[in-house]
Amino acid sequence: MVRLSSIEGPGDLAGLGPEDLQDLAGQIREFLVEQVSRTGGHLGPNLGVVELTIALHRVFASPVDRIVFDTGHQAYVHKLLTGRHDFSGLRQAGGLSGYPSRSESEHDIVENSHASTALSWADGIARAHQLRGEDHRHAVAVIGDGALTGGMAWEALNNIAAGPERRLVIVVNDNGRSYAPTIGGLAHHLHTLRTTRGYERFLDWGKGVLQRRGAPGRLAYEALHGMKKGLKDVVAPQGMFEDLGIKYLGPVDGHDITEVEHTLRRARDYGGPVIVHVITRKGKGYAPAENDTADHFHGVGVIDPETGAPLASSGTGWTSVFADAMVELADERPEVVGITAAMMIPVGLHRFHAKHPERVIDVGIAEQHAATSAAGMAFAGLHPVVAIYATFLNRAFDQVLMDCALHRAGVTFVLDRAGVTGDDGASHNGMWDLTMLAMVPGLRLAAPRDGATLREELFEAAAIGDGPTVVRFPKGAVPEDLPAIETLGTPGQPGAVDVLFRHGSPDVLLVAVGAMAGTALDVAARLGDQGIGVTVVDPRWTLPVPDAVLELAAGFRLVVVVEDNLVRGGVGSVVRELLAVRHCPVPVATFGIPTEFLDHAGRAAVLERIGLTGQEISRAVIENVTRIADEVSASRSPAG
């Protein structure tokens, strides 16, 4: 019997028979449940691709052949088959990434975990193979049916079809879901394909029966075969793909290794672009995942491997607070609609959908379309709330700028997972949005510091109809509410500023952006212990920077801005520029995220590494205050 621990690379799969392969698939599932239940991670997607991944590595010779996994959250099996068996530190500092990683293996290619990109990667790789005369190499893209809802995937298909001699295989891993069930016209088309699998069997039957009937039978079979395209359109309408010029094979049972291998070999030997349509079940082989109708354990925390029940509670999360607030908002304002990009539950629109299903739209993995469609809805009298992860707003920046802002559309974007998210690695940190959005004319952005201000600012955003608004918050548990001791300006209106702490002389004005308020108060306490006067303010509506912040800054010796966004181009940079325009000489110290991609680790570990902790910030502020004091003293001395 083969043991999983003996598989050090794809070559070790070559001599295995059908029984060995089935046994190996069982061992992999046991390993995944045992290991991922300890660390958390993407369990359901990987349980669903065990046989498919085994077949891929038996048919294609990675890394000579390049296998690209779209999104990459289904690559745990690939990691195991390429010799990575230590999952003890999965998604933790120093451990395996939850996605493919070039630093881990020559078998990994794409680290970007944004969906719908694999076909473009594979197209580029196949073109390079062709131009370099490397006709022995194949490019293989594994993409889910959910990711095929993204427009970029169809741009790639259009270009792939233009190269009929390029050796490119597209494996559509069709489980009827992205995170949630796949929606839209493509979903209906794939459903038709996966439920009409009789075409190939019918043609095989016709060949066997009719050709035994002598000359008339052979003529009938040839006529039948000549009507192949029309027959397919009736029995299994895959013409959508073949009309593009891409050969279609399938549907194939993705849990039958022999059948998948046979089809992949046909695709490999075809000599041009081929789509292999594979039907799989997310969470396959693990009853708690199979029975979970919400997402089949798409992503889990630490769980009991026997029952699938979570072993620890992380407290009330930001997303849950938003979910409840959206229901309240929708009940109060009938013009409010919700838009999600295939992430109904993760972004917290599921409770709104449960109560008002007709007012929540899932556009699939199509953030660009979501933003522009929202602009159209706003023009027609609605107020859309587009809820997405902060990192995915990157994909729709042009639409926010040119469709929403230019047209002064009353659209609210709610950015979940803003700032450092940590575990999911570089491409999932929501660290770009403040820098990008700071340049958008007419856009207003709120960064709530706690659950109470999240609800308040969401309601305030929905009342703004003359331009886009943004509400951003991080991943994780919501802190206890941090009440203001004073409000500068009109409470409940953009431009109002909350004062959270004031002690001593006006030495340091500490501007806390959103969820960094708790860290800012920690810094204030440490500065107070050193005899430094400090005032902490929360701008609430961070962009544009309220005049009250700038007016207040003029009376302090140092302004400090703490934000969970890039230091470059963030709120601190804007404050510095605006003070310079006002000819206010007060220096500004900014603390945020450096301009680099951050390796995967827990949020706290990442914040500590980049110096966004109370201890590190206070140390740097004290050095600044001391330097300023020395400069002032020197300027007043006779020698000065």
Side-chain angles (χ1 to χ4, degrees), residues 191-247:
H191 176 73
T192 301
L193 291 176
R194 76 173 75 96
T195 55
T196 52
R197 299 180 61 194
Y199 165 73
E200 295 293 347
R201 295 191 183 97
F202 177 71
L203 201 60
D204 289 343
W205 169 86
K207 181 178 181 180
V209 172
L210 294 176
Q211 288 193 344
R212 289 196 295 269
R213 304 294 184 185
R218 285 193 297 272
L219 287 172
Y221 172 74
E222 289 170 4
L224 175 63
H225 198 265
M227 294 188 297
K228 178 178 180 181
K229 177 64 170 63
L231 183 64
K232 278 186 176 180
D233 285 342
V234 174
V235 181
Q238 58 257 55
M240 178 174 69
F241 297 112
E242 294 196 341
D243 284 347
L244 284 171
I246 303 175
K247 178 69 174 176

Short mmCIF file of all heavy atoms in Angstrom, two decimals, residues 191-247:
data_model
loop_
_atom_site.label_atom_id
_atom_site.label_comp_id
_atom_site.label_asym_id
_atom_site.label_seq_id
_atom_site.Cartn_x
_atom_site.Cartn_y
_atom_site.Cartn_z
N HIS A 191 -24.93 24.19 -15.63
CA HIS A 191 -25.89 23.26 -15.03
C HIS A 191 -26.50 22.38 -16.12
O HIS A 191 -26.67 21.17 -15.94
CB HIS A 191 -26.98 24.02 -14.29
CG HIS A 191 -28.05 23.12 -13.73
ND1 HIS A 191 -27.84 22.31 -12.63
CD2 HIS A 191 -29.32 22.89 -14.13
CE1 HIS A 191 -28.94 21.63 -12.38
NE2 HIS A 191 -29.85 21.97 -13.26
N THR A 192 -26.81 22.99 -17.25
CA THR A 192 -27.35 22.21 -18.36
C THR A 192 -26.36 21.15 -18.82
O THR A 192 -26.71 20.00 -19.06
CB THR A 192 -27.70 23.13 -19.54
OG1 THR A 192 -28.66 24.11 -19.09
CG2 THR A 192 -28.30 22.34 -20.69
N LEU A 193 -25.09 21.55 -18.92
CA LEU A 193 -24.07 20.61 -19.35
C LEU A 193 -23.91 19.46 -18.37
O LEU A 193 -23.81 18.30 -18.75
CB LEU A 193 -22.73 21.33 -19.53
CG LEU A 193 -22.62 22.31 -20.70
CD1 LEU A 193 -21.27 23.01 -20.67
CD2 LEU A 193 -22.79 21.58 -22.01
N ARG A 194 -23.86 19.81 -17.08
CA ARG A 194 -23.58 18.76 -16.11
C ARG A 194 -24.77 17.83 -15.90
O ARG A 194 -24.62 16.74 -15.35
CB ARG A 194 -23.12 19.37 -14.78
CG ARG A 194 -24.16 19.98 -13.92
CD ARG A 194 -23.58 20.40 -12.55
NE ARG A 194 -22.78 21.59 -12.64
CZ ARG A 194 -23.24 22.82 -12.39
NH1 ARG A 194 -24.50 22.98 -12.02
NH2 ARG A 194 -22.46 23.87 -12.48
N THR A 195 -25.96 18.26 -16.34
CA THR A 195 -27.13 17.41 -16.18
C THR A 195 -27.54 16.72 -17.46
O THR A 195 -28.58 16.06 -17.52
CB THR A 195 -28.32 18.22 -15.64
OG1 THR A 195 -28.55 19.34 -16.50
CG2 THR A 195 -28.06 18.71 -14.23
N THR A 196 -26.74 16.88 -18.54
CA THR A 196 -27.04 16.20 -19.80
C THR A 196 -25.80 15.45 -20.26
O THR A 196 -25.26 15.70 -21.32
CB THR A 196 -27.47 17.19 -20.89
OG1 THR A 196 -26.48 18.23 -20.98
CG2 THR A 196 -28.81 17.81 -20.58
N ARG A 197 -25.35 14.51 -19.45
CA ARG A 197 -24.11 13.81 -19.74
C ARG A 197 -24.32 12.64 -20.69
O ARG A 197 -23.41 11.87 -20.96
CB ARG A 197 -23.49 13.30 -18.43
CG ARG A 197 -23.13 14.44 -17.47
CD ARG A 197 -22.51 13.91 -16.20
NE ARG A 197 -21.28 13.20 -16.48
CZ ARG A 197 -20.67 12.40 -15.59
NH1 ARG A 197 -21.21 12.22 -14.42
NH2 ARG A 197 -19.55 11.80 -15.91
N GLY A 198 -25.53 12.51 -21.25
CA GLY A 198 -25.81 11.37 -22.11
C GLY A 198 -25.27 11.48 -23.51
O GLY A 198 -25.31 10.51 -24.26
N TYR A 199 -24.75 12.65 -23.91
CA TYR A 199 -24.36 12.83 -25.30
C TYR A 199 -23.28 11.85 -25.73
O TYR A 199 -23.43 11.12 -26.72
CB TYR A 199 -23.89 14.28 -25.52
CG TYR A 199 -23.14 14.43 -26.82
CD1 TYR A 199 -23.82 14.39 -28.04
CD2 TYR A 199 -21.76 14.56 -26.83
CE1 TYR A 199 -23.14 14.49 -29.23
CE2 TYR A 199 -21.07 14.65 -28.03
CZ TYR A 199 -21.76 14.63 -29.22
OH TYR A 199 -21.09 14.72 -30.40
N GLU A 200 -22.15 11.81 -25.01
CA GLU A 200 -21.06 10.93 -25.42
C GLU A 200 -21.50 9.47 -25.37
O GLU A 200 -21.16 8.68 -26.25
CB GLU A 200 -19.83 11.16 -24.54
CG GLU A 200 -19.21 12.56 -24.67
CD GLU A 200 -18.58 12.79 -26.04
OE1 GLU A 200 -18.40 11.80 -26.80
OE2 GLU A 200 -18.28 13.95 -26.37
N ARG A 201 -22.25 9.12 -24.31
CA ARG A 201 -22.71 7.73 -24.22
C ARG A 201 -23.64 7.40 -25.40
O ARG A 201 -23.59 6.30 -25.97
CB ARG A 201 -23.45 7.51 -22.89
CG ARG A 201 -22.55 7.66 -21.67
CD ARG A 201 -23.28 7.16 -20.42
NE ARG A 201 -22.47 7.36 -19.22
CZ ARG A 201 -22.60 8.39 -18.41
NH1 ARG A 201 -23.53 9.29 -18.65
NH2 ARG A 201 -21.83 8.52 -17.35
N PHE A 202 -24.47 8.37 -25.78
CA PHE A 202 -25.38 8.16 -26.90
C PHE A 202 -24.59 7.96 -28.20
O PHE A 202 -24.88 7.07 -29.00
CB PHE A 202 -26.31 9.37 -27.02
CG PHE A 202 -27.24 9.29 -28.20
CD1 PHE A 202 -28.28 8.38 -28.22
CD2 PHE A 202 -27.08 10.13 -29.29
CE1 PHE A 202 -29.15 8.31 -29.30
CE2 PHE A 202 -27.93 10.07 -30.37
CZ PHE A 202 -28.98 9.16 -30.38
N LEU A 203 -23.56 8.80 -28.42
CA LEU A 203 -22.77 8.67 -29.63
C LEU A 203 -22.02 7.35 -29.66
O LEU A 203 -21.91 6.69 -30.70
CB LEU A 203 -21.80 9.85 -29.74
CG LEU A 203 -21.27 10.16 -31.15
CD1 LEU A 203 -22.42 10.50 -32.09
CD2 LEU A 203 -20.26 11.30 -31.11
N ASP A 204 -21.46 6.95 -28.49
CA ASP A 204 -20.76 5.66 -28.42
C ASP A 204 -21.72 4.51 -28.73
O ASP A 204 -21.38 3.54 -29.43
CB ASP A 204 -20.13 5.46 -27.04
CG ASP A 204 -18.93 6.37 -26.83
OD1 ASP A 204 -18.40 6.90 -27.84
OD2 ASP A 204 -18.54 6.56 -25.66
N TRP A 205 -22.92 4.58 -28.18
CA TRP A 205 -23.92 3.55 -28.46
C TRP A 205 -24.23 3.50 -29.95
O TRP A 205 -24.29 2.44 -30.58
CB TRP A 205 -25.19 3.85 -27.66
CG TRP A 205 -26.37 3.01 -28.08
CD1 TRP A 205 -26.68 1.76 -27.63
CD2 TRP A 205 -27.38 3.35 -29.04
NE1 TRP A 205 -27.82 1.31 -28.26
CE2 TRP A 205 -28.26 2.26 -29.12
CE3 TRP A 205 -27.61 4.48 -29.83
CZ2 TRP A 205 -29.37 2.26 -29.96
CZ3 TRP A 205 -28.71 4.48 -30.67
CH2 TRP A 205 -29.57 3.38 -30.73
N GLY A 206 -24.41 4.69 -30.55
CA GLY A 206 -24.73 4.74 -31.97
C GLY A 206 -23.64 4.13 -32.83
O GLY A 206 -23.92 3.38 -33.78
N LYS A 207 -22.40 4.41 -32.46
CA LYS A 207 -21.29 3.86 -33.23
C LYS A 207 -21.29 2.34 -33.17
O LYS A 207 -21.15 1.64 -34.18
CB LYS A 207 -19.97 4.42 -32.70
CG LYS A 207 -18.74 3.92 -33.45
CD LYS A 207 -17.47 4.56 -32.90
CE LYS A 207 -16.24 4.08 -33.67
NZ LYS A 207 -15.00 4.71 -33.14
N GLY A 208 -21.46 1.80 -31.96
CA GLY A 208 -21.40 0.35 -31.79
C GLY A 208 -22.56 -0.36 -32.46
O GLY A 208 -22.38 -1.38 -33.15
N VAL A 209 -23.76 0.19 -32.30
CA VAL A 209 -24.95 -0.48 -32.82
C VAL A 209 -25.06 -0.32 -34.33
O VAL A 209 -25.25 -1.29 -35.08
CB VAL A 209 -26.22 0.05 -32.12
CG1 VAL A 209 -27.47 -0.50 -32.79
CG2 VAL A 209 -26.20 -0.34 -30.64
N LEU A 210 -24.95 0.90 -34.81
CA LEU A 210 -25.18 1.16 -36.22
C LEU A 210 -24.12 0.53 -37.12
O LEU A 210 -24.42 0.04 -38.21
CB LEU A 210 -25.28 2.67 -36.48
CG LEU A 210 -26.47 3.36 -35.83
CD1 LEU A 210 -26.40 4.86 -36.06
CD2 LEU A 210 -27.78 2.80 -36.39
N GLN A 211 -22.86 0.54 -36.66
CA GLN A 211 -21.82 0.00 -37.52
C GLN A 211 -21.92 -1.52 -37.65
O GLN A 211 -21.35 -2.11 -38.57
CB GLN A 211 -20.44 0.41 -37.02
CG GLN A 211 -20.15 1.89 -37.28
CD GLN A 211 -18.69 2.25 -37.09
OE1 GLN A 211 -17.92 1.50 -36.49
NE2 GLN A 211 -18.30 3.40 -37.60
N ARG A 212 -22.66 -2.14 -36.73
CA ARG A 212 -22.88 -3.59 -36.85
C ARG A 212 -24.00 -3.90 -37.85
O ARG A 212 -24.29 -5.06 -38.12
CB ARG A 212 -23.20 -4.19 -35.49
CG ARG A 212 -22.00 -4.24 -34.55
CD ARG A 212 -22.26 -5.19 -33.38
NE ARG A 212 -23.35 -4.73 -32.52
CZ ARG A 212 -23.20 -3.95 -31.46
NH1 ARG A 212 -21.99 -3.50 -31.14
NH2 ARG A 212 -24.24 -3.61 -30.71
N ARG A 213 -24.65 -2.87 -38.36
CA ARG A 213 -25.79 -3.06 -39.27
C ARG A 213 -25.36 -3.06 -40.74
O ARG A 213 -26.19 -2.93 -41.63
CB ARG A 213 -26.83 -1.96 -39.05
CG ARG A 213 -27.33 -1.85 -37.63
CD ARG A 213 -28.12 -3.06 -37.19
NE ARG A 213 -28.67 -2.90 -35.85
CZ ARG A 213 -29.32 -3.84 -35.20
NH1 ARG A 213 -29.48 -5.03 -35.76
NH2 ARG A 213 -29.79 -3.63 -33.99
N GLY A 214 -24.09 -3.17 -41.01
CA GLY A 214 -23.65 -3.21 -42.40
C GLY A 214 -23.60 -1.83 -43.01
O GLY A 214 -23.57 -0.80 -42.32
N ALA A 215 -23.62 -1.78 -44.36
CA ALA A 215 -23.46 -0.51 -45.07
C ALA A 215 -24.52 0.53 -44.69
O ALA A 215 -24.19 1.69 -44.44
CB ALA A 215 -23.46 -0.77 -46.58
N PRO A 216 -25.79 0.16 -44.61
CA PRO A 216 -26.79 1.17 -44.22
C PRO A 216 -26.52 1.74 -42.83
O PRO A 216 -26.67 2.94 -42.60
CB PRO A 216 -28.11 0.40 -44.27
CG PRO A 216 -27.86 -0.73 -45.20
CD PRO A 216 -26.44 -1.12 -44.97
N GLY A 217 -26.12 0.83 -41.93
CA GLY A 217 -25.82 1.30 -40.58
C GLY A 217 -24.63 2.25 -40.54
O GLY A 217 -24.63 3.26 -39.84
N ARG A 218 -23.60 1.91 -41.35
CA ARG A 218 -22.42 2.78 -41.36
C ARG A 218 -22.77 4.15 -41.94
O ARG A 218 -22.31 5.18 -41.47
CB ARG A 218 -21.31 2.12 -42.18
CG ARG A 218 -20.63 0.97 -41.44
CD ARG A 218 -19.34 0.56 -42.12
NE ARG A 218 -19.57 0.04 -43.48
CZ ARG A 218 -19.84 -1.25 -43.72
NH1 ARG A 218 -19.94 -2.11 -42.71
NH2 ARG A 218 -20.03 -1.67 -44.96
N LEU A 219 -23.62 4.15 -42.98
CA LEU A 219 -24.04 5.42 -43.55
C LEU A 219 -24.83 6.25 -42.51
O LEU A 219 -24.68 7.47 -42.41
CB LEU A 219 -24.89 5.19 -44.80
CG LEU A 219 -24.14 4.72 -46.05
CD1 LEU A 219 -25.12 4.33 -47.15
CD2 LEU A 219 -23.20 5.82 -46.54
N ALA A 220 -25.68 5.55 -41.76
CA ALA A 220 -26.46 6.24 -40.73
C ALA A 220 -25.55 6.82 -39.66
O ALA A 220 -25.75 7.95 -39.19
CB ALA A 220 -27.47 5.28 -40.11
N TYR A 221 -24.53 6.04 -39.28
CA TYR A 221 -23.60 6.54 -38.26
C TYR A 221 -22.84 7.76 -38.77
O TYR A 221 -22.66 8.75 -38.06
CB TYR A 221 -22.61 5.46 -37.83
CG TYR A 221 -21.52 6.03 -36.93
CD1 TYR A 221 -21.81 6.35 -35.61
CD2 TYR A 221 -20.25 6.27 -37.42
CE1 TYR A 221 -20.86 6.90 -34.78
CE2 TYR A 221 -19.28 6.82 -36.60
CZ TYR A 221 -19.58 7.14 -35.28
OH TYR A 221 -18.62 7.69 -34.48
N GLU A 222 -22.40 7.71 -40.05
CA GLU A 222 -21.66 8.84 -40.59
C GLU A 222 -22.54 10.09 -40.64
O GLU A 222 -22.10 11.20 -40.36
CB GLU A 222 -21.14 8.50 -41.98
CG GLU A 222 -20.00 7.47 -41.96
CD GLU A 222 -19.64 6.97 -43.35
OE1 GLU A 222 -20.24 7.47 -44.33
OE2 GLU A 222 -18.77 6.09 -43.44
N ALA A 223 -23.80 9.89 -40.98
CA ALA A 223 -24.71 11.04 -40.98
C ALA A 223 -24.90 11.58 -39.56
O ALA A 223 -24.92 12.79 -39.33
CB ALA A 223 -26.06 10.62 -41.57
N LEU A 224 -25.05 10.63 -38.62
CA LEU A 224 -25.19 11.02 -37.22
C LEU A 224 -23.97 11.79 -36.75
O LEU A 224 -24.07 12.84 -36.12
CB LEU A 224 -25.40 9.78 -36.35
CG LEU A 224 -25.46 9.99 -34.83
CD1 LEU A 224 -26.65 10.86 -34.48
CD2 LEU A 224 -25.54 8.65 -34.12
N HIS A 225 -22.78 11.28 -37.10
CA HIS A 225 -21.55 11.92 -36.69
C HIS A 225 -21.42 13.29 -37.37
O HIS A 225 -20.91 14.25 -36.78
CB HIS A 225 -20.34 11.04 -37.05
CG HIS A 225 -19.10 11.44 -36.30
ND1 HIS A 225 -18.16 12.29 -36.84
CD2 HIS A 225 -18.67 11.11 -35.06
CE1 HIS A 225 -17.19 12.46 -35.96
NE2 HIS A 225 -17.46 11.77 -34.88
N GLY A 226 -21.91 13.40 -38.60
CA GLY A 226 -21.86 14.69 -39.30
C GLY A 226 -22.77 15.72 -38.66
O GLY A 226 -22.54 16.92 -38.81
N MET A 227 -23.79 15.26 -37.97
CA MET A 227 -24.68 16.18 -37.28
C MET A 227 -24.21 16.46 -35.85
O MET A 227 -24.95 16.97 -35.03
CB MET A 227 -26.10 15.61 -37.21
CG MET A 227 -26.78 15.48 -38.56
SD MET A 227 -28.51 15.01 -38.36
CE MET A 227 -28.35 13.41 -37.61
N LYS A 228 -22.95 16.12 -35.58
CA LYS A 228 -22.42 16.17 -34.22
C LYS A 228 -22.67 17.52 -33.54
O LYS A 228 -23.15 17.61 -32.42
CB LYS A 228 -20.93 15.87 -34.25
CG LYS A 228 -20.23 15.93 -32.91
CD LYS A 228 -18.75 15.57 -33.08
CE LYS A 228 -18.03 15.62 -31.76
NZ LYS A 228 -16.59 15.30 -31.90
N LYS A 229 -22.36 18.62 -34.26
CA LYS A 229 -22.49 19.92 -33.63
C LYS A 229 -23.94 20.23 -33.30
O LYS A 229 -24.26 20.66 -32.19
CB LYS A 229 -21.93 20.99 -34.57
CG LYS A 229 -22.07 22.42 -34.05
CD LYS A 229 -21.27 22.61 -32.77
CE LYS A 229 -21.21 24.07 -32.39
NZ LYS A 229 -22.49 24.66 -32.09
N GLY A 230 -24.84 19.95 -34.26
CA GLY A 230 -26.24 20.20 -33.99
C GLY A 230 -26.79 19.32 -32.89
O GLY A 230 -27.58 19.74 -32.06
N LEU A 231 -26.35 18.05 -32.87
CA LEU A 231 -26.80 17.13 -31.84
C LEU A 231 -26.33 17.59 -30.47
O LEU A 231 -27.07 17.53 -29.49
CB LEU A 231 -26.28 15.72 -32.15
CG LEU A 231 -26.73 14.60 -31.20
CD1 LEU A 231 -28.24 14.45 -31.29
CD2 LEU A 231 -26.04 13.29 -31.57
N LYS A 232 -25.08 18.06 -30.42
CA LYS A 232 -24.57 18.55 -29.13
C LYS A 232 -25.42 19.71 -28.63
O LYS A 232 -25.69 19.82 -27.43
CB LYS A 232 -23.12 19.01 -29.28
CG LYS A 232 -22.10 17.90 -29.22
CD LYS A 232 -20.69 18.50 -29.22
CE LYS A 232 -19.64 17.41 -29.07
NZ LYS A 232 -18.27 17.97 -29.05
N ASP A 233 -25.80 20.59 -29.53
CA ASP A 233 -26.57 21.73 -29.09
C ASP A 233 -27.91 21.32 -28.50
O ASP A 233 -28.46 22.00 -27.65
CB ASP A 233 -26.82 22.69 -30.27
CG ASP A 233 -25.57 23.48 -30.63
OD1 ASP A 233 -24.67 23.53 -29.77
OD2 ASP A 233 -25.50 24.02 -31.73
N VAL A 234 -28.44 20.16 -28.95
CA VAL A 234 -29.71 19.68 -28.43
C VAL A 234 -29.50 18.89 -27.14
O VAL A 234 -30.17 19.11 -26.13
CB VAL A 234 -30.42 18.81 -29.48
CG1 VAL A 234 -31.68 18.19 -28.90
CG2 VAL A 234 -30.77 19.66 -30.70
N VAL A 235 -28.57 17.93 -27.19
CA VAL A 235 -28.40 17.01 -26.06
C VAL A 235 -27.52 17.62 -24.96
O VAL A 235 -27.78 17.43 -23.79
CB VAL A 235 -27.80 15.68 -26.56
CG1 VAL A 235 -27.64 14.69 -25.41
CG2 VAL A 235 -28.69 15.08 -27.63
N ALA A 236 -26.47 18.33 -25.37
CA ALA A 236 -25.54 18.92 -24.40
C ALA A 236 -25.00 20.21 -25.00
O ALA A 236 -24.03 20.17 -25.76
CB ALA A 236 -24.40 17.95 -24.08
N PRO A 237 -25.61 21.34 -24.73
CA PRO A 237 -25.30 22.57 -25.44
C PRO A 237 -23.96 23.20 -25.04
O PRO A 237 -23.91 24.26 -24.43
CB PRO A 237 -26.48 23.48 -25.06
CG PRO A 237 -26.90 22.99 -23.72
CD PRO A 237 -26.69 21.52 -23.74
N GLN A 238 -22.85 22.54 -25.41
CA GLN A 238 -21.54 23.10 -25.13
C GLN A 238 -21.04 23.99 -26.25
O GLN A 238 -19.89 24.39 -26.28
CB GLN A 238 -20.51 22.00 -24.85
CG GLN A 238 -20.33 20.99 -25.96
CD GLN A 238 -21.02 19.69 -25.66
OE1 GLN A 238 -22.21 19.66 -25.38
NE2 GLN A 238 -20.29 18.60 -25.69
N GLY A 239 -21.92 24.28 -27.20
CA GLY A 239 -21.53 25.08 -28.35
C GLY A 239 -20.96 26.43 -27.97
O GLY A 239 -20.18 27.01 -28.72
N MET A 240 -21.33 26.97 -26.82
CA MET A 240 -20.80 28.26 -26.38
C MET A 240 -19.28 28.24 -26.38
O MET A 240 -18.63 29.20 -26.77
CB MET A 240 -21.32 28.60 -24.99
CG MET A 240 -20.79 29.91 -24.43
SD MET A 240 -21.56 30.33 -22.86
CE MET A 240 -20.88 29.07 -21.80
N PHE A 241 -18.68 27.13 -25.93
CA PHE A 241 -17.24 27.03 -25.90
C PHE A 241 -16.66 26.73 -27.28
O PHE A 241 -15.69 27.33 -27.73
CB PHE A 241 -16.80 25.95 -24.91
CG PHE A 241 -17.19 26.25 -23.50
CD1 PHE A 241 -18.14 25.47 -22.85
CD2 PHE A 241 -16.63 27.30 -22.80
CE1 PHE A 241 -18.51 25.73 -21.54
CE2 PHE A 241 -16.99 27.58 -21.50
CZ PHE A 241 -17.93 26.79 -20.86
N GLU A 242 -17.28 25.79 -27.97
CA GLU A 242 -16.73 25.40 -29.26
C GLU A 242 -16.93 26.49 -30.31
O GLU A 242 -16.14 26.58 -31.26
CB GLU A 242 -17.33 24.07 -29.70
CG GLU A 242 -16.90 22.93 -28.79
CD GLU A 242 -17.14 21.55 -29.36
OE1 GLU A 242 -17.95 21.43 -30.29
OE2 GLU A 242 -16.51 20.61 -28.86
N ASP A 243 -17.94 27.34 -30.15
CA ASP A 243 -18.09 28.47 -31.06
C ASP A 243 -16.92 29.44 -30.92
O ASP A 243 -16.62 30.19 -31.85
CB ASP A 243 -19.41 29.20 -30.79
CG ASP A 243 -20.61 28.45 -31.34
OD1 ASP A 243 -20.40 27.50 -32.12
OD2 ASP A 243 -21.75 28.80 -30.98
N LEU A 244 -16.30 29.45 -29.78
CA LEU A 244 -15.10 30.27 -29.59
C LEU A 244 -13.89 29.67 -30.29
O LEU A 244 -12.87 30.33 -30.47
CB LEU A 244 -14.78 30.41 -28.09
CG LEU A 244 -15.64 31.36 -27.26
CD1 LEU A 244 -15.32 31.19 -25.78
CD2 LEU A 244 -15.42 32.79 -27.69
N GLY A 245 -13.99 28.41 -30.67
CA GLY A 245 -12.86 27.73 -31.28
C GLY A 245 -12.06 26.92 -30.29
O GLY A 245 -10.89 26.58 -30.56
N ILE A 246 -12.64 26.60 -29.16
CA ILE A 246 -11.95 25.84 -28.13
C ILE A 246 -12.64 24.48 -27.99
O ILE A 246 -13.83 24.40 -27.72
CB ILE A 246 -11.97 26.58 -26.78
CG1 ILE A 246 -11.34 27.97 -26.93
CG2 ILE A 246 -11.21 25.79 -25.72
CD1 ILE A 246 -11.42 28.83 -25.68
N LYS A 247 -11.88 23.43 -28.14
CA LYS A 247 -12.40 22.07 -28.02
C LYS A 247 -12.95 21.85 -26.62
O LYS A 247 -12.32 22.24 -25.62
CB LYS A 247 -11.28 21.07 -28.31
CG LYS A 247 -11.67 19.61 -28.16
CD LYS A 247 -12.64 19.16 -29.23
CE LYS A 247 -12.89 17.65 -29.14
NZ LYS A 247 -13.90 17.23 -30.13
#
